[in-house]
Amino acid sequence: MARILIIDDEEIIRLTFERILRARGHTVSTARDCGEAWTETAEASPDVIVADTILDDGTGIDILREIRQRG
């Protein structure tokens, strides 16, 4: 199954996605902001990232661009 990272500043959204995806056998990690997302992607390379567009310290688009640039 896939390793999925969920990035959202709303806890209920993170928990809902996490519960649904784990029930389907995926490995799920979560982050509530850009800083946590950087940490999570450095520790384990997710196969899929689900990111909110507006976060407290940046945007989901910023995170995805940075991850893509890092390779």
Side-chain angles (χ1 to χ4, degrees):
M1 290 283 139
R3 292 179 311 254
I4 302 172
L5 172 60
I6 300 165
I7 309 165
D8 201 300
D9 51 355
E10 297 284 338
E11 182 177 18
I12 191 70
I13 293 172
R14 287 192 316 270
L15 293 174
T16 300
F17 273 113
E18 182 177 14
R19 188 174 340 122
I20 291 167
L21 294 168
R22 284 185 193 269
R24 286 165 176 74
H26 300 287
T27 301
V28 180
S29 57
T30 64
R32 65 177 165 232
D33 57 31
C34 294
E36 286 185 9
W38 302 136
T39 301
E40 288 295 328
T41 56
E43 292 176 1
S45 298
D47 300 313
V48 177
I49 297 174
V50 178
D52 190 3
T53 53
I54 301 172
L55 301 165
D56 293 336
D57 61 347
T59 70
I61 301 299
D62 295 337
I63 294 167
L64 297 175
R65 278 189 191 125
E66 179 67 24
I67 291 169
R68 187 173 186 171
Q69 288 175 353
R70 291 182 187 181

